[in-house]
Structures are given as C-alpha cells and as structure tokens.
Amino acid sequence: MKIAILYGTETGNAEMLAEDIGDALDADYEVSCTNLSDFPVTDFDPATFYLIVCSTYGDGELPASAQPFAEALAAGPASLAGIHFAIFGLGDSEYEETFNFGSKQLAELLTNHGAAQLGERPTHDASGADLAEDLALPWAKDAVALAESRFGKAA
Amino acid sequence: MTHQIAIVGAGPSGCYLAQALLKARPELDVDLIDALPVPYGLVRYGVAADHQGTKAVARQFARIFERQGARFFGNVHVGRDVTLDELRSAYDAVVFAAGLAGDRRLGIANDDVDGVFGAGAITRALNGHPDAGPLPDLGVRPLIVGNGNVAIDIVRLLGKRADELSGSDLGVEQTRWLAESGITAITVLGRSTASQAKFDPVMVKELGKLTGVAIAIDKAGTADDERGKKLLDALAAIDGHGTGVRAIRFVFSHVPVSVETDAGRVTGLRCRTAEGDDTVIACTSIITAIGFEDTGDLPRADILAQADSDAPVYAAGWFRRGPRGTIPDNRADAQVLAADILADLDGTPAKGVRPVGAIFEGRPDVIDYQGWLRIEQRELAGADADRCRGKICDRAAMIEAARHQEETSP
Ligand SMILES: Cc1cc2nc3c(=O)[nH]c(=O)nc-3n(C[C@H](O)[C@H](O)[C@H](O)COP(=O)(O)OP(=O)(O)OC[C@H]3O[C@@H](n4cnc5c(N)ncnc54)[C@H](O)[C@@H]3O)c2cc1C
Ligand SMILES: Cc1cc2nc3c(=O)[nH]c(=O)nc-3n(C[C@H](O)[C@H](O)[C@H](O)COP(=O)(O)O)c2cc1C
C-alpha cells in the first residue's frame, strides 16, 4: 500500500503538518506529500491510500491551494470509486459558525464522487491548546491501520 | 563553499523566503537579521492580540531556525548597526524584507495636530512594540478613517469588554487603557462606497459577536459585483447589532477635507459627501488607517532599483510590493522569489569570504535564536491568568531576558 498525503493550505500550517505525517510514516511506507494545487484529479490511484490535510478560509471556504482541485473535481464527471481516503481539518474556533468547513466540504466532494472515507474527520483548532501534530499523528496511524485492513496485506 | 544569504527583516516575508530557500537547498546559509530583539515582524506586532489563531503561524517560522538551520541576528538595525555595503560584500545575496512601518498621512489641513494618530502607531502600542510610545488619550469619541482590516481590528479592540479579551496576549497596560477609555462612540469613516471598502466580510461579521457595543451602518448603498455583495451582506448582518454602551457607526462615501480643532484639540473631521455637501463629524481624536508607507529608514527606492538590476540584491513582502496583502500573499510571493534567487545563485560561485555571521561578531547585544527562546520562555511563564503570553515590551528588558540563562548558569 502506497500512501499519498495531500494538503490544502494558505499560510502553510497544513503543509507543515503534512510533512510531519510524512516523516512519521516514511520508514514503513512509500509516502509522497503533495500540495492539492499540484495534484490533477485524474491522478487518483486505487492502490494508494490518501491522507488529506486541509485548512479553512474566508467564510468556511477552501484554502486557495485546494480551490482549483475542488473546482476541477466538481466540474468533471470523474468517478473516484475504489479510492480510499482519510481527512484531517485545520481551522480556528474564532470562526465558530464555519469551523473546519474547508475539510468538511472537501470530504463531501470526494465521497460524492464515490471515494470511501475511512474514519472520522478530526479537526485542529488554531485558537485551542493542542498542537496539530499531537492530534494528527495518532489519527494518521489509526487511518493507515484501517486502510491496511481494507487493502489487505497483499497490497 | 555554500552560498550565504542575508535576509533583512524576520517578518512573514523574510521567514517564508528562508523557509522556501532552505526547503529547496537545505545546505544554504540563511541569516535573518532584524532590528528588533525578537523575530516575526507584524505577526507579533501587527496581527491583533485577540487573533491568536493567526499568530500561530509563528510555529512554522520557529522551525526555520530549529530544523532548517537558519540563523537569527536580532537587535541589529541594518543601515545603522551594519551598513548595506557591509552586507553586500559579506553575502552572496541580500534580500530586503523590512516591511513598511510608516503611517500614511491624510494629507489634509491639520493632519499633524495632537490628537491625530496613525493606525500603525496605535497597533504597535497595543501589541507592546518596544519602540511604540504609550497609548494616547483618544477621548470619548474617536474616529477611525479607513476601510481596511486594520480599521476593523482597531474598532473591534476598542469595542471589546474586558472579558472578551481572555486568551489574548494583550498586555497589562493595554488592558487597563482599554478598560478605562470611557469611549462612548466610535465612527469608522471611508472615502469609498461600502461595496468598495477593503474590509474582509469575515472581519466585519466578527463585530457582530461583541457584547458591549451598538452598531449602526449609514447608507451602505448597493453593489454590482460578487465581492461587494458579500461585503454589504456582512454589513447588513451587523447593522443594529447590540445595545451596548459603545456606539459604533460606519460612514461611507465621505472624503476628508480638514481636521477641525479648537485650542489645539481635535473637535471633528470636515468631509465632503458623495452629494457634494460639506459636513463635520464630531470626534475627540482621529486614527488614520489608510495604509502604510516607507519610514525613510532604509534607501528603499535605491534598493528597489538595485533589485531590478542584475545586482544580487532582492526585495520581498511589503517592502517590495507596497503595504498590500495578507500573510498568505507573502508566502506565495516568497516562493516565487526563492526560485529566482536560486536560479541566479546557480550561475555564480559562492564568495566564501568569511565564516557566516562574522560581521556581527563582537557587536554587543546581538540576540540569537536561543536568546529569543529565552525571551519567549519568560513571556510564556509570565502570562496573567487569562492571557496566553505576557509580552516583554521594553528593549532593555528583552535583552536582559535573552541573556539571563547565560548569566545564571556557569
Ligand atoms: C495592524 C496590522 C494587522 C494585520 N493583521 C493581519 C492579519 O490578521 N492577517 C494577515 O494575514 N495579515 C495581517 N496584516 C498584514 C501582514 O502583517 C503583512 O502582510 C505582513 O506582516 C508583511 O510582512 P513583511 O515581512 O513584508 O513585513 P513585516 O511584518 O513588517 O516585517 C518586517 C521586519 O523587518 C524589520 N526591519 C525593518 N527595518 C529594518 C532594518 N532597518 N534593519 C533590520 N530589520 C528591519 C522589522 O523589525 C520587522 O520585523 C496586518 C498588518 C497590520 C499592519
Ligand atoms: C481570513 C481567515 C479566515 C478563516 N476562516 C476560517 C473559517 O471559516 N473556519 C475555520 O475553521 N477556520 C478559519 N480560519 C483559520 C485557518 O483555517 C487556520 O488558521 C489554519 O491553521 C490555517 O492553516 P493553513 O496555514 O494551512 O492555511 C481562517 C483564517 C483566516 C486568516
């Protein structure tokens, strides 16, 4: 099983977190780490498990680096059947009404196109006391374990 | 030899640039030089004390020093403590990311009288900048000129009750100043129509959470584009909000004509309305939040001209682009600039004239990254009950805190 970490970011917090997750996994897996802005929607591969990290901007919108990806996906007929992903959100509870809507939107978009989400969608709060990596590293480990059971040891 | 790069200014643009350079070429020597003893520029001294989520970007910048090998030389004022020529001869490339800290003036009669203050000066004082003077007396009816996010930051802080500042890093003095301001009315005034205001709609909406204010929007008019419509919706959503003791009124399409004074005190702002009428809006002080400009501290025009030439001199962030753009804009910009710099360096051998950082050697009170960590440690340990940090606001005290550990442990 290959792992691809995809991130959507504006100020780089999601990118930093994606790199941390990559560092934590790359001893055991073949891992890549890519900005959603550099990931064509046609590149999804069923043999790869996707870990997605995405922040929120504006009034509950996607961060700039995830917008072209989301637009391309929404516009096209692409089917993501057979694609497995897990997603982690970055946000700020100062924006209480739209807290972590970016990752929420992205998860919905992917599942609407047929992809299967593994696990919940944990979120980080930039105004909270937790460090993003303290929440995201255990999430990534759990998600990868879930994926392994789905993909089977053979993959 | 590896190339050595000096970045003047450790604000967001300098930090994002160092991050991008070192990501592409981990072996580069990157030195961030700042006039202040502490890094991060306006993340620390501009971004509002009650927006800690935004300030959290500093965690990324810390990694530049902790993991990517950049060095910090704080309390070094380029142009005074180290000359531009010294930097140019010591480094393979010099990047000016020194920001634009001067407050743009209104450019009308009496715009320099006592009682007219710049938003930069006020926000620096609110953020405990060591070179900011004490917070001034605004009287009970301050008026803020400007329709950008900085104006919103100020009106929000002036409108907040003490309990709404919990979790911030607003200092003791600043907290007392706000609590004792006695402000009864705040006017926010702009030249343009409401739909053309530069406010971010989310910033406007945030005002609708304040519990101690009563908000009124004067004639917001109509919008004919998507952005303008969103902004008018946000303004409409806060119009009539609250019944608190501090009245906040937004006034649009008023062009300032002159500051009205009586016996040397500000009494109002004379404006021309869209209809061509002359009107005076009474106020006790004026805060101008109409943009920033060069302080004249560095020869900016000269530096920008060099940056446009083949010289290994570059400019980044607000210093290059002007006072526009948020933190993410500086990141995007820095990534492009990093690629340019690396392409230029690829064609030139490293100077390797002296060990890195040698030009700062023997200078007293240069604060390195470890020194900043000691300052930060003291700030975090010294935070009041409902504050996340107790900023040290005095330069000498910062330097003392930076040194502290060296003196106590043999
Ligand atoms: C009041 C205010 C609030 C803001 N709030 C937000 C916000 O909430 N969100 C957001 O995204 N953006 C915000 N911004 C915009 C954001 O702060 C800027 O986009 C960003 O800081 C520009 O980065 P910079 O590195 O170019 O300049 P700066 O952050 O100004 O950094 C310049 C650095 O250079 C140093 N320097 C200057 N002269 C010298 C010298 N001669 N020698 C050595 N060092 C020198 C300074 O000490 C400073 O550390 C705000 C701006 C202001 C003014
Ligand atoms: C202008 C602005 C708007 C934001 N809007 C939201 C929002 O609606 N909901 C949310 O949960 N977080 C919001 N955030 C918080 C960011 O998602 C949070 O700071 C995150 O850590 C940024 O990650 P990034 O650096 O990867 O972009 C906003 C931040 C800014 C600066």
Side-chain angles (χ1 to χ4, degrees):
Chain A
M1 184 180 81
K2 284 194 267 183
I3 297 176
I5 305 167
L6 302 177
Y7 58 86
T9 188
E10 265 189 41
T11 65
N13 295 337
E15 179 174 2
M16 178 168 84
L17 187 58
E19 288 170 356
D20 283 356
I21 295 168
D23 289 347
L25 296 174
D26 76 356
D28 301 321
Y29 298 92
E30 185 182 334
V31 185
S32 64
C33 191
T34 312
N35 193 327
L36 278 167
S37 62
D38 301 325
F39 187 83
V41 291
T42 48
D43 271 16
F44 278 108
D45 158 32
T48 301
F49 177 49
Y50 293 89
L51 286 173
I52 302 174
V53 180
C54 186
S55 67
T56 302
Y57 274 86
D59 213 355
E61 284 138 39
L62 288 168
S65 98
Q67 283 178 11
F69 171 89
E71 279 159 24
L73 194 57
S79 165
L80 299 181
I83 302 300
H84 293 84
F85 75 95
I87 185 164
F88 183 94
L90 292 177
D92 186 337
S93 57
E94 285 281 336
Y95 305 90
E96 52 191 337
E97 283 161 30
T98 54
F99 182 58
N100 266 289
F101 272 27
S103 53
K104 181 164 176 263
Q105 264 191 60
L106 197 55
E108 284 168 3
L109 193 59
L110 291 166
T111 49
N112 286 344
H113 279 77
Q117 180 178 345
L118 302 190
E120 298 295 309
R121 179 177 53 89
T123 54
H124 175 255
D125 176 6
S127 290
D130 292 317
L131 297 182
E133 56 269 32
D134 291 347
L135 304 176
L137 293 182
W139 158 79
K141 290 238 157 80
D142 290 352
V144 167
L146 263 176
E148 291 221 282
S149 61
R150 284 289 177 100
F151 281 65
K153 284 287 169 219
Chain B
M1 281 309 280
T2 158
H3 287 105
Q4 300 178 4
I5 302 173
I7 301 175
V8 180
S13 49
C15 286
Y16 278 129
L17 179 66
Q19 184 184 57
L21 287 169
L22 288 164
K23 200 166 175 183
R25 302 283 160 79
E27 72 284 2
L28 285 174
D29 279 317
V30 177
D31 293 351
L32 281 147
I33 305 162
D34 207 288
L36 292 169
V38 296
Y40 313 145
L42 288 171
V43 169
R44 187 174 155 99
Y45 291 118
V47 172
D50 61 343
H51 277 178
Q52 291 298 317
T54 304
K55 288 188 193 263
V57 72
R59 284 202 64 225
Q60 267 184 71
F61 300 157
R63 293 219 177 163
I64 303 165
F65 303 104
E66 289 173 8
R67 300 196 190 168
Q68 293 185 282
R71 272 168 309 242
F72 179 61
F73 295 94
N75 204 28
V76 178
H77 190 119
V78 172
R80 200 174 63 210
D81 300 329
V82 169
T83 67
L84 277 62
D85 283 342
E86 280 177 287
L87 284 182
R88 285 188 205 114
S89 60
Y91 288 90
D92 296 294
V94 181
V95 187
F96 289 88
L100 284 177
D103 277 299
R104 231 189 88 201
R105 284 173 50 174
L106 280 169
I108 59 175
N110 294 331
D111 71 354
D112 57 349
V113 299
D114 192 29
V116 180
F117 309 101
I122 297 283
T123 51
R124 278 192 293 277
L126 280 167
N127 270 303
H129 189 293
D131 301 338
L135 280 157
D137 180 7
L138 299 178
V140 295
R141 296 179 65 89
L143 179 149
I144 303 166
V145 187
N147 275 178
N149 290 336
V150 175
I152 301 276
D153 273 341
I154 295 176
V155 74
R156 186 184 66 253
L157 286 168
L158 292 180
K160 274 199 169 179
R161 293 154 33 119
D163 59 312
E164 292 171 315
L165 292 159
S166 106
S168 73
D169 64 1
L170 194 75
V172 175
E173 287 291 310
Q174 290 81 355
T175 302
R176 183 179 316 126
W177 181 81
L178 282 181
E180 293 172 358
S181 73
I183 288 173
T184 56
I186 309 164
T187 306
V188 182
L189 180 141
R191 305 170 63 104
S192 71
T193 60
S195 67
Q196 287 165 335
K198 297 197 196 74
F199 308 134
D200 190 334
V202 200
M203 295 277 290
V204 171
K205 280 193 191 163
E206 194 182 345
L207 297 177
K209 292 200 272 180
L210 301 192
T211 55
V213 301
I215 302 176
I217 312 288
D218 268 16
K219 298 188 208 136
T222 55
D224 41 33
D225 64 330
E226 202 49 41
R227 203 203 84 90
K229 287 198 180 97
K230 269 188 103 169
L231 186 50
L232 292 194
D233 286 348
L235 287 164
I238 62 165
D239 191 11
H241 164 80
T243 52
V245 292
R246 291 182 182 172
I248 295 175
R249 186 164 73 107
F250 283 78
V251 178
F252 299 99
S253 304
H254 275 57
V255 178
V257 175
S258 62
V259 175
E260 301 297 297
T261 60
D262 180 33
R265 294 195 67 86
V266 171
T267 56
L269 183 67
R270 182 175 297 277
C271 298
R272 183 140 310 125
T273 65
E275 295 77 35
D277 297 331
D278 206 52
T279 178
V280 174
I281 299 189
C283 60
T284 52
S285 61
I286 294 172
I287 300 173
T288 60
I290 54 169
F292 298 91
E293 60 187 18
D294 189 12
T295 53
D297 184 38
L298 286 164
R300 179 164 177 253
D302 195 40
I303 289 168
L304 293 184
Q306 285 189 45
D308 278 338
S309 74
D310 288 339
V313 171
Y314 303 84
W318 276 20
F319 190 80
R320 182 177 75 77
R321 296 197 312 273
R324 281 168 300 277
T326 56
I327 293 167
D329 296 316
N330 295 303
R331 178 169 178 269
D333 220 43
Q335 291 177 342
V336 174
L337 179 62
D340 279 358
I341 295 175
L342 293 175
D344 289 352
L345 288 180
D346 276 345
T348 48
K351 278 190 189 134
V353 288
R354 57 181 120 193
V356 283
I359 59 170
F360 307 108
E361 234 153 64
R363 273 190 45 80
D365 299 336
V366 175
I367 310 292
D368 63 6
Y369 185 70
Q370 292 306 316
W372 151 242
L373 288 184
R374 285 191 284 273
I375 296 174
E376 175 155 63
Q377 210 172 29
R378 193 177 289 188
E379 290 188 338
L380 296 176
D384 280 346
D386 60 353
R387 292 288 180 267
C388 64
R389 176 188 293 270
K391 271 188 185 173
I392 304 176
C393 307
D394 171 73
R395 194 181 281 261
M398 286 175 171
I399 294 169
E400 194 273 322
R403 279 209 207 109
H404 193 66
Q405 202 166 311
E406 287 159 312
E407 284 171 1
T408 51
S409 58

